[in-house]
Amino acid sequence: MAFQIVLNLFIAFVWMFLKVSYDPSTFLIGYLLGLGMIFLMRRFFPSRFYLHNVLAVIYLTLLFLYELLKANISVVKIVLKPKLDFHPGIFAYETELKKDWEITLLSNLITLTPGTLVVDVFEENGKNILYIHAIHVPDVEEAVNGIKNTFEKAILEVSR
Amino acid sequence: MTGILEFVVLAFILIGAFFSLVAAIGVVRLPDVYTRNHAASKSATLGVMFILIGTFLYFAAEGHTNTRLILAIVFIFLTSPVGGHLINRAAYYTGVNMWDQSVRDDLREKVGYGKRKSPEDTGGKIS
């Protein structure tokens, strides 16, 4: 993926040299032309066309912001409720993700989702297990598993 | 500065202040370290982010685009969940007990602390 970006920048510079003009608009045109070329030649690269990864990163960022907003509304509800009638607890969650940066990103996402906070991460026979403190265990666990499946999918989409 | 933009800036700063206030109330009201951390690490993050966005919009409308505010938003966004996680982890390993209403603790089986009390046998005391 990084190779394709470098190649695209290289094509843009070649275009600037061909046109003998060095302003940003020429660079932009060259970059778009390079994007088209790489799209046409996408079968010859070992990884997929890099615009997919860029879109996946943007999607993940938007998901992050949306979850942060939702988490805050749920915290406001819990804090301002007259009765403290929630049941916290720590539960284990097994993740499919392998690389360190993916697990860090997933932990950050989980920490900012409604009602969950990562306490510790362990590696156990090839699987990584996250220990998560949930603010209300009985109803959160199902919903949280659903949310994390979308997160895990989004992170896998970026790293593939 | 136009009227609509003024209202947007006002809304951003007021919402940010509200979230910060709720975070402060949550730190006072919630029963143990872990639940307090929920309030502190989420609401405080979003509160500060909203206030910074409001400040950025205010000065951008006056003609100063201060990119340091954007950087500050990104840094807070990246570092505050990590801070919350580390405080939680440190609290867990130094043996801070959970609230007596806590229902399960999977990490206890894994770590196997002898002196740690489980949520079932603290008997309503928070130490």
Side-chain angles (χ1 to χ4, degrees), chain A residues 64 68 72 75 79 81-82 86-92 111 113 115-120 124 131 133 141, chain B residues 19 26 29-30 34 37-38 42-43 46 77 82 85 88-89 92-93 99 101-107 110:
Chain A
F64 215 83
L68 183 61
N72 276 282
V75 164
V79 168
K81 217 174 180 183
F86 50 89
H87 298 281
I90 294 178
F91 66 94
T111 300
T113 34
T116 47
L117 238 163
V118 175
V119 180
D120 209 348
E124 207 172 62
Y131 286 90
H133 182 269
E141 209 170 337
Chain B
F19 277 131
R29 252 201 96 193
L30 292 174
Y34 308 99
N37 222 336
H38 276 275
K42 284 168 198 147
S43 299
L46 197 72
F77 193 51
V82 180
H85 159 65
N88 237 3
R89 194 185 131 94
Y92 196 89
Y93 284 109
W99 188 34
Q101 297 286 306
S102 304
V103 284
R104 59 188 289 197
D105 190 356
D106 288 354
L107 189 53
K110 171 83 187 171

Side-chain angles (χ1 to χ4, degrees), chain B residues 39-85:
Chain B
S41 69
K42 284 168 198 147
S43 299
T45 315
L46 197 72
V48 174
M49 273 171 63
F50 263 105
I51 292 173
L52 287 179
I53 291 170
T55 317
F56 176 77
L57 286 178
Y58 180 80
F59 283 109
E62 306 250 300
H64 311 278
T65 310
N66 196 343
T67 45
R68 272 182 219 166
L69 287 170
I70 301 284
L71 276 184
I73 291 168
V74 172
F75 287 151
I76 288 171
F77 193 51
L78 288 178
T79 51
S80 108
V82 180
H85 159 65

Side-chain angles (χ1 to χ4, degrees), chain A:
Chain A
M1 178 194 155
F3 171 69
Q4 291 181 33
I5 294 174
V6 171
L7 186 64
N8 203 344
L9 288 174
F10 179 71
I11 292 171
F13 279 114
V14 168
W15 180 255
M16 273 160 75
F17 286 156
L18 277 175
K19 299 290 278 187
V20 204
S21 81
Y22 306 105
D23 45 0
S25 64
T26 319
F27 180 82
L28 194 68
I29 291 168
Y31 195 87
L32 291 177
L33 281 173
L35 202 65
M37 284 180 210
I38 291 171
F39 180 70
L40 290 176
M41 300 287 165
R42 64 190 181 281
R43 281 179 42 214
F44 302 105
F45 295 107
S47 56
R48 54 184 191 158
F49 184 48
Y50 79 90
L51 218 56
H52 285 290
N53 297 60
V54 174
L55 288 178
V57 169
I58 292 170
Y59 172 72
L60 196 60
T61 314
L62 291 179
L63 196 68
F64 215 83
L65 287 172
Y66 174 66
E67 289 299 331
L68 183 61
L69 212 64
K70 243 170 62 183
N72 276 282
I73 292 165
S74 80
V75 164
V76 168
K77 269 188 204 152
I78 286 170
V79 168
L80 298 183
K81 217 174 180 183
K83 256 176 74 182
L84 296 174
D85 56 352
F86 50 89
H87 298 281
I90 294 178
F91 66 94
Y93 174 76
E94 222 172 71
T95 174
E96 304 292 319
L97 301 174
K98 295 268 182 272
K99 291 178 204 131
D100 279 352
W101 70 266
E102 292 170 343
I103 291 162
T104 311
L105 197 57
L106 184 69
S107 321
N108 266 8
L109 282 169
I110 289 169
T111 300
L112 291 176
T113 34
T116 47
L117 238 163
V118 175
V119 180
D120 209 348
V121 183
F122 279 104
E123 199 187 343
E124 207 172 62
N125 45 41
K127 286 262 186 183
N128 287 290
I129 300 174
L130 300 175
Y131 286 90
I132 300 169
H133 182 269
I135 206 158
H136 188 58
V137 167
D139 66 29
V140 155
E141 209 170 337
E142 289 298 309
V144 154
N145 275 326
I147 290 167
K148 274 191 311 244
N149 285 332
T150 67
F151 281 154
E152 264 195 29
K153 275 209 196 88
I155 292 173
L156 282 173
E157 195 67 26
V158 171
S159 68
R160 193 168 55 184

